[in-house]
């Protein structure tokens, strides 16, 4: 496989790419309330500023692919976008959210800086084209059913649709029932596609459908995976976090406690700088 030079893109004022500060895309799974989003966002923004990390706030207005029809899906697009706009204005940081249908892209792009395509929808051509046509950077999560190399087809679709910028996110690959694995050789292959690559720290610990009507998880493994991804050279990390994960309305089984996330960021920043020293021929 031919390795391409990775482009640097900008999500609002945040540069993402080679030789840039590590970018953190983080927040709650669902936009549960304005107060919760601001509590989490303030804490993450302040810690990222202290450490010199890029920060993009994340929360979903709709979780359309829940295991159960009875699961909480979020506030919906209208209320969710109002909430995200409030967060963006108060925190002064870029924001991102999922889009599940082509018709959601245009209105969502009036608020958010980065459109996220869920893993199960990564091959939906109409959705990819609609996202690209908004002029926003598009972040596509690799389907759990795809090889890293197959994400090259996603890149071509977005490139032909004249996407302003493309980011690819690794979030694990199906390994039998209720199990995901992360292929770090494959992660390197995906980084060879020429686009900035993000690693989804918390969803990679997921056990899909492992709790029957919801997904299980092993969040205690998230710091290990995050360290591996930073050492591998990813440009961004995606982390879902909550002050009280057990009470979260979505992905309670995988989210990291907020206080643990804040501590982990310092460790990951040190590792990112150490790996940068190694890449330019210095000593860590």
């Amino acid at each position: 496989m031919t390795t391409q030079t990775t482009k640097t893109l900008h999500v609002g004022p945040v540069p993402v790419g080679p030789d840039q500060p590590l970018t953190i895309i983080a927040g709650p799974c669902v936009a549960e309330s304005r107060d919760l989003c601001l509590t989490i966002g303030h804490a993450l923004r302040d810690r990222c500023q202290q450490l010199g990390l890029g920060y993009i706030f994340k929360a979903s207005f709709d979780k359309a692919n829940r295991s159960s029809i009875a699961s909480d899906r979020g506030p919906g697009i209208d209320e969710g976008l109002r909430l995200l706009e409030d967060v963006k204005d108060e925190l002064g940081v870029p924001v991102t959210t999922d889009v599940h249908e082509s018709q959601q892209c245009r209105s969502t792009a009036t608020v958010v800086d980065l459109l996220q395509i869920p893993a199960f929808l990564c091959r939906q051509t109409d959705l990819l084209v609609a996202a690209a046509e908004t002029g926003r950077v598009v972040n596509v999560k690799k389907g759990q059913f795809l090889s890293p190399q197959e994400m090259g087809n996603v890149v071509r679709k977005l490139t032909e649709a004249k996407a302003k910028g493309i980011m690819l996110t690794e979030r694990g690959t199906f390994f039998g029932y209720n199990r995901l694995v992360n292929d770090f050789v494959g992660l390197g292959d995906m980084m060879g596609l020429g686009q900035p690559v993000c690693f989804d720290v918390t969803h990679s610990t997921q056990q899909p459908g492992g709790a029957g009507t919801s997904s299980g998880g092993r969040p205690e493994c998230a710091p290990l995976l995050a360290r591996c991804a930073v050492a591998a050279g990813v440009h961004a990390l995606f982390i879902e976090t909550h002050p009280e994960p057990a009470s979260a309305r979505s992905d309670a089984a995988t989210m990291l406690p907020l206080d643990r996330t804040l501590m982990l960021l310092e460790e990951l920043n040190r590792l990112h700088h150490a790996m940068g020293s190694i890449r330019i021929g210095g000593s860590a």
Side-chain angles (χ1 to χ4, degrees):
M1 175 180 160
T2 301
T3 298
Q4 302 178 47
T5 301
T6 300
K7 306 173 178 69
T8 293
L9 55 81
H10 285 79
V11 180
V14 176
V16 186
D19 303 318
Q20 301 295 336
L22 187 65
T23 297
I24 305 300
I25 304 171
C29 180
V30 166
E32 297 179 20
S33 70
R34 183 179 185 277
D35 287 346
L36 176 75
C37 288
L38 287 173
T39 295
I40 295 172
H42 273 294
L44 289 167
R45 181 202 64 184
D46 292 350
R47 181 55 59 92
C48 287
Q49 285 180 346
Q50 292 168 1
L51 298 172
L53 300 170
Y55 177 54
I56 301 166
F57 175 85
K58 179 269 166 189
S60 297
F61 60 73
D62 182 21
K63 300 301 291 185
N65 57 355
R66 301 299 303 276
S67 298
S68 170
I69 196 170
S71 297
D72 190 324
R73 287 179 54 167
I77 188 168
D78 294 333
E79 182 182 344
L81 289 179
R82 283 193 294 269
L83 190 155
L84 286 167
E85 190 167 29
D86 285 348
V87 171
K88 181 176 180 177
D89 290 344
E90 178 158 334
L91 298 183
V93 300
V95 298
T96 186
T97 195
D98 313 86
V99 286
H100 295 86
E101 300 174 356
S102 301
Q103 60 265 33
Q104 294 177 338
C105 292
R106 183 174 296 179
S107 58
T108 301
T110 64
V111 174
V112 308
D113 305 272
L114 175 68
L115 292 175
Q116 179 176 290
I117 307 297
F120 286 133
L121 300 175
C122 68
R123 291 182 56 171
Q124 296 295 102
T125 301
D126 290 346
L127 179 59
L128 292 170
V129 171
E133 289 177 344
T134 66
R136 295 297 190 182
V137 176
V138 182
N139 177 26
V140 185
K141 292 195 171 185
K142 181 183 76 66
Q144 300 93 322
F145 45 85
L146 288 185
S147 69
Q149 292 90 338
E150 287 176 273
M151 289 299 283
N153 295 325
V154 173
V155 171
R156 281 187 284 276
K157 289 180 182 181
L158 289 169
T159 300
E160 290 181 17
K162 296 181 170 53
K164 179 181 178 181
I166 303 167
M167 188 188 307
L168 305 176
T169 294
E170 159 66 15
R171 58 140 303 153
T173 300
F174 285 135
F175 186 72
Y177 299 118
N178 311 130
R179 181 74 190 272
L180 297 174
V181 297
N182 294 107
D183 172 12
F184 284 91
V185 172
L187 183 66
D189 291 338
M190 199 157 71
M191 288 191 287
L193 295 175
Q195 312 299 326
V197 169
C198 175
F199 184 85
D200 186 335
V201 174
T202 46
H203 283 114
S204 291
T205 71
Q206 195 176 63
Q207 296 171 321
T213 57
S214 63
S215 292
R218 299 186 62 191
E220 72 277 6
C221 299
L224 169 64
L225 290 175
R227 290 191 292 268
C228 292
V230 172
V234 297
H235 310 104
L237 295 174
F238 179 100
I239 303 171
E240 288 186 340
T241 185
H242 195 285
E244 299 177 0
S247 67
R249 297 180 188 172
S250 178
D251 282 356
T254 56
M255 280 201 286
L256 279 180
L258 180 59
D259 57 357
R260 179 68 181 98
T261 301
L262 297 175
M263 290 189 294
L264 180 62
L265 292 181
E266 184 172 358
E267 177 184 348
L268 297 174
N269 191 45
R270 290 198 303 269
L271 179 57
H272 177 72
H273 283 293
M275 296 309 299
S277 297
I278 293 171
R279 282 192 291 272
I280 63 174
S283 59

